[in-house]
Amino acid sequence: MYRVAVLGDRDSIYGFASLGLDIYPAETAEEGARYLRQLAEGDYAVIYITEDLASRIEAEMDYWKSRPLPAIIPIPGVSGNTGIGMKMVKKSVEQAVGADII
């Protein structure tokens, strides 16, 4: 059975534990990349990652984005919305459709 994880700074992700999601606090880019690799190679179908952390480990994110699982979804953290999530959606639409439609 697949699971769902949330990855990012402790303040942003701690509340997700009360929803039954697995949380992985990562304060540095190296720690975040290591956790993402570990989760993606495991039995996680969805990994939510804070936009701030996602922006610091883009190379690792790009590697896993080309695979069918897991779905890696950026979410705003306590610092607010940085626009990374929307940028990733726009990029995915451009790849799928061949043009910018957003």
Side-chain angles (χ1 to χ4, degrees):
M1 177 177 222
Y2 289 116
R3 300 184 322 184
V4 178
V6 185
L7 179 59
D9 62 278
R10 182 175 297 281
D11 292 338
S12 297
I13 67 170
Y14 202 72
F16 288 98
S18 64
L19 298 174
L21 304 180
D22 297 337
I23 61 168
Y24 292 87
E27 299 301 327
T28 66
E30 294 78 21
E31 191 177 26
R34 187 179 72 244
Y35 273 137
L36 180 60
R37 195 173 316 110
Q38 177 184 353
L39 297 171
E41 290 172 349
D43 58 344
Y44 287 88
V46 178
I47 301 171
Y48 293 104
I49 183 170
T50 57
E51 290 180 334
D52 177 55
L53 182 58
S55 69
R56 293 187 280 148
I57 60 170
E58 283 191 48
E60 189 74 25
M61 299 253 317
D62 288 342
Y63 175 78
W64 292 106
K65 211 169 18 171
S66 65
R67 307 212 181 313
L69 284 178
I72 302 173
I73 304 166
I75 57 173
V78 293
S79 60
N81 187 351
T82 64
I84 297 289
M86 189 57 149
K87 180 179 127 185
M88 291 179 67
V89 168
K90 183 178 179 182
K91 186 176 176 182
S92 295
V93 168
E94 288 175 359
Q95 288 176 339
V97 179
D100 181 13
I101 62 169
I102 295 179

